[in-house]
Amino acid sequence: MNVYNNWVLISGGFGLIGSNLVKHLYRTTSYNFLIIDDLSSGNKDNLREIISDKKRIITLVKKVENLTSEIINNYSIKISMVFHFASRASPKDFHDHPIDIMMTNSIGTKNMLDIALSYGAHFVFASTSEIYGDPLEHPQDESYKGNVSPIGIRSCYVESKRFSEAMIDAYRRKYNLKTLILRIFNTYGLEFGINDGRVIPNFIFNAIKRQELIIYGDGMQTRSFCHVRDLVKGILEIMMVDDAYGEVFNIGNPQEISIIELAKLVLSITGSESNLTFKEIDVFDPRKRSPNIKKIQSYIDWKPKITLEEGLQEIINNIQ
Ligand code: UDP
């Protein structure tokens, strides 16, 4: 294949998931990369090992909602894959940057779809378990339609991701675009920034600093955490399967843990004696969340392998 014509356009390429995806594809394929990222939650340092390879990696610091086909055409490259992975995803950002999130996942999604269409490229979208809201079915499979609200702190993320899915489905139906929607459940990894605000980095950084761990509600709400390297392996496999295009897949680790158990696990691994402090929980905070991953497993031979203990230990070792 002509390497010159073999470009990936990825939004959010400096984020937790995007950077791991780029790193892996860089090492295992001949793809070149045009990364668009506004650095709102991503960090260039996440690609420090490969970013200096200017022949294969171009960086555009820009908001995806301001991206146009003309801007991309100026690069004179042929794009065969488009990944729309940009978006702030921390509930902390739902408070602080709701409109930004909605723009990324509405106009931003449309812009990325139009570029994919103009190049006849395949389109892969990082959707989210949030589209199930506070689920009444457990674990959640892809046919579950969700228990969601257009009003509330999390709605900017939930509803704009749902809008994105609907927009992608419309492009698939109207233009026959090859689209792949991945509903990504809670993901964690080394690339979490200190101010990320999600539960794993909060607990780890506070435990190490011997500061209190804040638990919202009674801590009995559950999540299922997938290590980003496991997640990316699954993405890389499913994106190679022709029949997967046009489909929607859950992807994540079904192993479920309550937030209080997670706090205790972090304290035990760090050897910290930080106190647990309980605070009021947001009314829309999902009570339970775990993916049913049977559908993706019927397409690829994949399952998450890194245990939560191993993954947490790796992050803690990296900080200490
Ligand atoms: N949470 C917590 N303490 C924190 C951060 C989060 O108790 O410092 C809880 C939060 O209320 C939620 C769960 O942990 O029930 C997971 O939160 P996170 O922000 O990681 O992501 P979410 O899955 O809610 O999108």
Side-chain angles (χ1 to χ4, degrees):
M1 200 180 288
N2 181 352
V3 170
Y4 185 70
N5 286 334
N6 201 13
W7 285 76
V8 166
L9 169 66
I10 177 165
S11 71
F14 291 123
L16 169 69
I17 302 174
S19 65
N20 277 284
L21 195 58
V22 169
K23 263 190 273 184
H24 199 97
L25 282 171
Y26 177 90
R27 290 186 183 128
T28 59
T29 69
S30 59
Y31 279 126
N32 303 313
F33 302 88
L34 174 51
I35 297 172
I36 166 153
D37 197 308
D38 67 356
L39 303 178
S40 57
S41 55
N43 186 340
K44 280 190 175 174
D45 211 34
N46 290 341
L47 288 180
R48 61 187 166 279
E49 301 106 319
I50 59 176
I51 193 82
S52 56
D53 184 351
K54 303 276 185 265
K55 283 202 187 104
R56 288 187 64 194
I57 300 181
I58 303 173
T59 303
L60 181 58
V61 177
K62 200 171 190 61
K63 287 194 175 299
V64 77
E65 57 264 34
N66 298 329
L67 190 63
T68 59
S69 294
E70 291 70 46
I71 295 172
I72 300 295
N73 289 344
N74 285 337
Y75 288 100
S76 302
I77 56 176
K78 173 85 178 68
I79 293 167
S80 55
M81 288 291 311
V82 172
F83 291 93
H84 183 22
F85 275 51
S87 182
R88 298 172 186 266
S90 170
K92 182 171 157 255
D93 291 332
F94 305 167
H95 286 263
D96 299 344
H97 303 283
I99 296 166
D100 192 37
I101 288 170
M102 295 197 78
M103 293 299 283
T104 306
N105 289 300
S106 55
I107 309 290
T109 301
K110 183 176 186 301
N111 289 344
M112 294 295 276
L113 281 164
D114 282 334
I115 292 164
L117 193 61
S118 71
Y119 285 92
H122 286 45
F123 183 90
V124 183
F125 179 59
S127 188
T128 166
S129 54
E130 280 286 328
I131 66 114
Y132 298 123
D134 184 9
L136 304 176
E137 278 183 22
H138 189 74
Q140 297 79 55
D141 72 34
E142 291 83 352
S143 66
Y144 180 52
K145 294 184 182 62
N147 175 33
V148 294
S149 163
I151 305 296
I153 288 292
R154 304 176 83 98
S155 304
C156 59
Y157 191 63
V158 175
E159 295 291 7
S160 63
K161 286 286 188 184
R162 289 174 71 97
F163 175 90
S164 282
E165 288 202 11
M167 176 73 90
I168 292 163
D169 200 45
Y171 270 68
R172 178 183 69 81
R173 288 171 194 279
K174 190 163 169 58
Y175 300 116
N176 254 327
L177 191 69
K178 298 277 187 202
T179 61
L180 178 57
I181 295 175
L182 303 173
R183 292 182 182 153
I184 300 173
F185 282 63
N186 292 63
T187 304
Y188 70 103
L190 289 173
E191 292 78 8
F192 269 140
I194 193 159
N195 295 319
D196 181 275
R198 276 173 281 188
V199 69
I200 287 187
N202 277 5
F203 283 180
I204 290 180
F205 288 120
N206 286 357
I208 288 172
K209 286 185 285 179
R210 303 290 191 264
Q211 289 174 359
E212 59 183 8
L213 308 194
I214 310 282
I215 299 202
Y216 295 113
D218 57 8
M220 296 309 288
Q221 70 271 32
T222 68
R223 294 294 187 271
S224 307
F225 297 98
C226 187
H227 195 284
V228 67
R229 284 199 301 275
D230 276 337
L231 184 93
V232 161
K233 276 186 192 156
I235 296 175
L236 294 164
E237 285 200 31
I238 197 71
M239 66 174 260
M240 301 296 179
V241 179
D242 278 346
D243 288 350
Y245 287 84
E247 297 288 337
V248 178
F249 296 95
N250 286 342
I251 182 163
N253 189 333
Q255 190 66 49
E256 198 178 347
I257 186 169
S258 70
I259 296 306
I260 192 111
E261 282 174 73
L262 176 71
K264 289 179 186 161
L265 184 59
V266 170
L267 290 182
S268 125
I269 299 177
T270 52
S272 169
E273 289 173 2
S274 289
N275 290 325
L276 306 184
T277 302
F278 292 83
K279 288 200 175 163
E280 197 182 336
I281 193 167
D282 180 73
V283 63
F284 295 104
D285 197 311
R287 295 296 302 162
K288 278 170 171 269
R289 186 186 282 159
S290 176
N292 177 327
I293 55 171
K294 287 204 176 80
K295 182 172 176 187
I296 196 166
Q297 288 181 322
S298 71
Y299 282 68
I300 55 172
D301 181 17
W302 168 82
K303 67 167 191 260
K305 297 208 171 100
I306 303 170
T307 65
L308 188 55
E309 288 80 356
E310 289 165 347
L312 293 176
Q313 184 76 64
E314 183 192 49
I315 300 177
I316 291 160
N317 292 347
N318 193 54
I319 296 170
Q320 284 176 331

